[in-house]
């Protein structure tokens, strides 16, 4: 049975700078929670607080219902995988993996059994007599995971474990970590700045910024219903287009008119109903690149809006081609099929699926 | 063995670079000669008989090699009134230097480890104060140290000298280890903490095995300093407890009888041999330690 983690009004200051500013969070047993955010948002500090490598300035940390604020890392029933792998350079892979069991005086037979089980699972059983210096990056990563797994703790903490791997290896390790979670069912808290890692791995994502949690929700929710401009801008690659404009009447319906243009993006019903602002108020219209495509290339649907702009830059990525264009001074990106792309300078007819549009108030950044 | 790193590097060819290279080696050879000359004179003089020394010049090589001077320097030269050679004093020096090196290196390693990896408020201040000790000249501590040794009842003994060298060496050993440990990744220590090791568990099982290069540097430095020390030896020991440096001085500066240059030279070389030995033995480890760290990662 895995343990849950509960953070209550957790605070951490380094000198005068407050890094964690009162975080409340409830992580269910067996959940895979990813902490994501830009550099310096406090995500690694939060992980270190859970690990016990930093002491909380205020608030409470509970693991499996037990208050652990003053419990040292060794007694928290956690294991951690570090960004730098932090393998012991003078020890063999075998000793690296069993060190935690040695310090806990676990009988040799049990150590051996655990070592065999996980070195086979991670396919490092042929490397046991090597030193970390003789391993490749991916192999070191596996050893670091083996060291964490072998003790069978209730909670695993991962601190950007894949950021030092090359792109291909990162994707395969990502899948392996997800498989491991499904297989072991332990609680995992995973820190990354890579939003694709966050989306693919998490059962719930906590988007952090400046010591706060902006949104804590399942990946699809974070992507589809971001609570504010920060979350909307952080998740998604290329990021969501943020088009500043004013609210206006377009016949019976509401629309958004981007600044300095005559375009009017009509708001679909459910969204328009939630708008509490008046005509002429400032808003930010959020459009994901994939909701803008070449006109008449998709089956017709409701709430489509077609407009024409000049293509400024064409960026092929392989499966899709990004087209950069400009609306009233705001740079926009559309994701079109490669065969629909047109060269720079040509006029291009774009179609927007307005049902996917988001609307934000510019001053607070909150979603409507 | 790995290929030499320079073997594949493209280098300029032609007369000019050949001449440059020859000039370079000529200068290097000259300096080599310059530095080796005193040693050559010492060794050659120690192998001559007294008669030959009187007849020949300083630079002439021995005609008939004899080890009599070495034998005399080792066990029958007169040190003060005692004529047992340097032998008993060599043992004094070993009995002093070995424990003093071990103690000061161990304590310095623990200091450096605590100051970098288990930081506490005021750690930098404490380090600054310890470092200050490295800049205090020997002469300044003579009197207070003499008082301390007297109070402890260690005056004039080898253990007293061990204490002096350990205390005085701490400033240097702490500095060496602190600077080494600063470069050791904190992640490794965090991993060890999560793995359940404590202060000394991490120190002995993780950190110390990583510090071979620092240990070797410190041991070479400390051994050379302590073995070669004359001032503390002459000030804090008497007669039979003198270290070899003091005994050597007493052999060479004896004012009675004929000046036996060959014995003086042999005695000086004998007194210097252990430091050379430590350098040769530990130096090999040192290079190995460096190249082990040079492997990627």
């Amino acid at each position: 049975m895995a343990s849950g983690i509960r953070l209550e009004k957790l605070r951490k200051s380094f000198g005068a700078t407050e890094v964690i500013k009162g975080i409340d969070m409830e992580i269910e047993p067996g959940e895979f929670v990813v902490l994501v955010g830009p550099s310096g948002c406090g995500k690694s500090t939060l992980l270190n607080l859970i690990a016990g490598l930093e002491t909380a300035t205020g608030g409470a940390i509970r693991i499996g219902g037990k208050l652990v604020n003053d419990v040292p890392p060794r007694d928290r029933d956690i294991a951690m995988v570090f960004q730098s792998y932090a393998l012991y350079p003078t020890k063999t892979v075998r000793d690296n993996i069993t060190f935690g069991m040695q310090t806990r005086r676990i009988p040799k037979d049990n150590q051996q059994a655990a070592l065999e089980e996980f070195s086979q699972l991670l396919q490092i059983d042929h490397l046991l007599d090597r030193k970390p210096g003789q391993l490749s990056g991916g192999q070191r990563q596996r050893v670091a995971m083996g060291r964490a797994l072998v003790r069978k703790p209730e909670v695993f903490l991962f601190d950007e474990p894949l950021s030092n791997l090359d792109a291909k290896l990162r994707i395969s390790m990502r899948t392996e970590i997800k498989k491991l979670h499904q297989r072991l069912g332990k609680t995992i808290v995973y820190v990354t700045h890579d939003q694709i890692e966050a989306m693919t791995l998490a059962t719930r994502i906590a988007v952090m910024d400046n010591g706060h949690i902006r949104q804590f929700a399942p990946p699809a929710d974070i992507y589809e219903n971001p609570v504010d401009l920060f979350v909307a801008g952080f998740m998604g690659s290329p990021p969501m287009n943020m088009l500043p404009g004013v609210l206006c009447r377009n016949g019976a319906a509401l629309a958004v008119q981007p600044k300095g243009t005559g375009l009017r993006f009509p708001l679909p019903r459910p969204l328009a109903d939630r708008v509490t602002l008046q005509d002429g108020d400032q808003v930010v219209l959020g459009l994901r690149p994939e909701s803008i495509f070449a006109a008449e290339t998709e089956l017709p649907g409701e709430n489509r809006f077609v407009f024409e702009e000049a293509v400024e830059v064409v960026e092929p990525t392989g499966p899709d081609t990004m087209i950069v264009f400009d609306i009233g001074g705001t740079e926009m990106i559309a994701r079109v099929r490669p065969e629909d792309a047109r060269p720079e300078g040509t006029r291009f007819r774009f179609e927007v699926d307005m049902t996917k549009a988001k609307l934000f108030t510019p001053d607070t950044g909150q979603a409507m | 063995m790995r290929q030499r790193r320079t073997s594949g590097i493209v280098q300029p060819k032609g007369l000019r670079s050949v001449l440059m290279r020859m000039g370079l080696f000529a200068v290097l050879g000259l300096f080599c000669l310059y530095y080796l000359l005193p040693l050559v004179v010492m060794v050659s003089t120690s192998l001559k008989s007294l008669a030959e020394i009187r007849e020949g010049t300083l630079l002439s090589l021995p005609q008939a090699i004899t080890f009599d001077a070495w034998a005399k320097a080792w066990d029958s030269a007169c040190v003060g009134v005692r004529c047992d050679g340097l032998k008993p004093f060599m043992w004094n020096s070993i009995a002093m230097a070995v424990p003093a090196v071990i103690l000061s290196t161990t304590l310095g390693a623990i200091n450096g480890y605590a100051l970098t990896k288990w930081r506490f408020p005021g750690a930098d201040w404490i380090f600054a104060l310890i470092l200050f000790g490295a800049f205090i000249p020997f002469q300044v501590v003579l009197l207070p140290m003499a008082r301390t040794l007297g109070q402890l009842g260690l005056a004039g003994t080898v253990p007293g000298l061990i204490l002096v060298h350990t205390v005085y060496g701490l400033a240097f050993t702490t500095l060496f280890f602190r600077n080494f440990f600063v470069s050791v990744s904190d992640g490794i220590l965090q991993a060890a903490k999560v793995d359940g090791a404590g202060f000394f568990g991490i120190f002995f099982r993780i950190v110390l095995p990583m510090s071979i290069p620092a240990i070797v540097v410190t041991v070479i430095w400390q051994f050379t300093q302590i073995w070669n020390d004359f001032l503390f030896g002459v000030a804090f020991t008497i007669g039979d407890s003198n270290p070899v440096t003091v005994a050597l001085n007493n052999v060479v500066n004896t004012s009675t009888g004929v000046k036996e240059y060959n014995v003086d030279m042999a005695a000086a070389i004998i007194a210097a041999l252990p430091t050379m030995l430590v350098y040769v033995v530990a130096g090999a480890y040192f290079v190995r330690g460096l190249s082990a760290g040079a492997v990627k990662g």
Side-chain angles (χ1 to χ4, degrees), chain A residues 53 73-74 78-80 82 86-91 99-100 102-104 133 140 147 151, chain B residues 185 187-198 201-202 205-206 209-210 295-297:
Chain A
L53 296 169
R74 60 168 297 163
I78 52 156
M80 192 159 172
F82 295 84
L87 301 177
Y88 312 127
T90 56
K91 293 186 180 296
F99 183 70
Q102 290 172 24
T103 58
R104 288 178 171 78
R140 284 181 211 182
R147 184 172 65 180
R151 279 184 11 236
Chain B
S185 136
I188 291 177
L189 271 95
Q190 293 183 334
K193 283 180 202 171
V194 173
D195 264 345
I202 298 176
R205 298 172 69 180
I206 308 291
M210 291 171 65
V295 177
K296 195 174 133 203

Side-chain angles (χ1 to χ4, degrees), chain B:
Chain B
M1 276 304 284
R2 239 182 308 174
Q3 245 191 330
R4 279 177 54 198
R5 280 175 190 279
T6 51
S7 58
I9 296 175
V10 176
Q11 292 184 338
K13 292 201 165 57
L15 187 65
R16 197 183 135 82
S17 61
V18 170
L19 285 177
M20 287 291 282
R21 196 133 284 256
M22 281 167 67
L24 179 68
F25 280 113
V27 172
L28 285 176
L30 206 67
F31 274 102
C32 220
L33 210 67
Y34 179 74
Y35 280 110
L36 277 176
L37 203 58
L39 182 66
V40 171
V41 170
M42 280 178 78
V43 173
S44 92
T45 307
S46 75
L47 296 175
K48 293 173 185 172
S49 65
L50 258 185
E52 205 188 318
I53 292 174
R54 253 181 257 114
E55 288 153 17
T57 66
L58 189 66
L59 286 174
S60 63
L61 293 175
Q63 300 302 308
I65 290 175
T66 164
F67 288 94
D68 293 351
W70 284 74
K72 187 169 182 194
W74 179 244
D75 61 10
S76 63
C78 289
V79 180
V81 292
R82 203 174 144 182
C83 291
D84 296 335
L86 287 182
K87 189 168 62 181
F89 302 99
M90 283 292 274
W91 292 121
N92 280 350
S93 270
I94 291 170
M96 165 197 75
V98 172
V101 168
I102 293 174
L103 276 173
S104 59
T105 307
T106 312
L107 291 176
I110 295 176
N111 279 353
Y113 167 65
L115 285 170
T116 51
K117 298 302 175 197
W118 295 77
R119 296 193 45 87
F120 49 91
D124 286 331
W125 271 101
I126 294 200
F127 176 61
L129 289 176
I130 293 177
L131 193 59
F132 191 60
F135 298 104
I136 299 177
F138 277 29
Q139 290 79 352
V140 174
V141 298
L142 279 183
L143 280 175
M145 197 56 99
R147 283 281 299 159
T148 310
L149 290 179
Q151 296 278 333
L152 293 173
L154 292 172
T157 62
V158 170
L161 207 51
I162 294 174
L163 177 71
V164 175
H165 281 301
T166 305
V167 171
Y168 201 84
L170 268 182
F172 295 94
T173 56
T174 303
L175 172 69
F176 291 155
F177 278 104
R178 182 205 169 266
N179 287 355
F180 179 79
F181 290 149
V182 158
S183 65
V184 170
S185 136
D186 286 341
I188 291 177
L189 271 95
Q190 293 183 334
K193 283 180 202 171
V194 173
D195 264 345
F199 182 90
F200 282 106
I202 298 176
F203 179 66
F204 285 111
R205 298 172 69 180
I206 308 291
V207 171
L208 219 48
M210 291 171 65
S211 340
I212 304 292
I215 293 172
V216 171
V217 170
T218 312
V219 164
I220 291 178
W221 172 267
Q222 278 302 94
F223 190 83
T224 312
Q225 290 292 309
I226 294 172
W227 186 274
N228 288 345
D229 162 69
F230 178 75
L231 187 62
F232 286 156
V234 80
F236 298 134
T237 59
I238 34 169
D240 286 351
S241 62
N242 278 343
V244 73
T245 44
V246 178
L248 174 66
N249 173 69
N250 295 345
V251 169
V252 175
N253 284 343
T254 180
S255 49
T256 54
V258 190
K259 197 105 178 116
E260 295 176 299
Y261 287 109
N262 49 357
V263 176
D264 293 352
M265 294 297 181
I269 297 173
I270 289 172
L273 272 179
T275 49
M276 288 200 248
L277 194 73
V278 163
Y279 184 75
V280 169
V281 172
Y285 276 100
F286 181 50
V287 173
R288 215 162 64 187
L290 277 186
S291 56
V295 177
K296 195 174 133 203

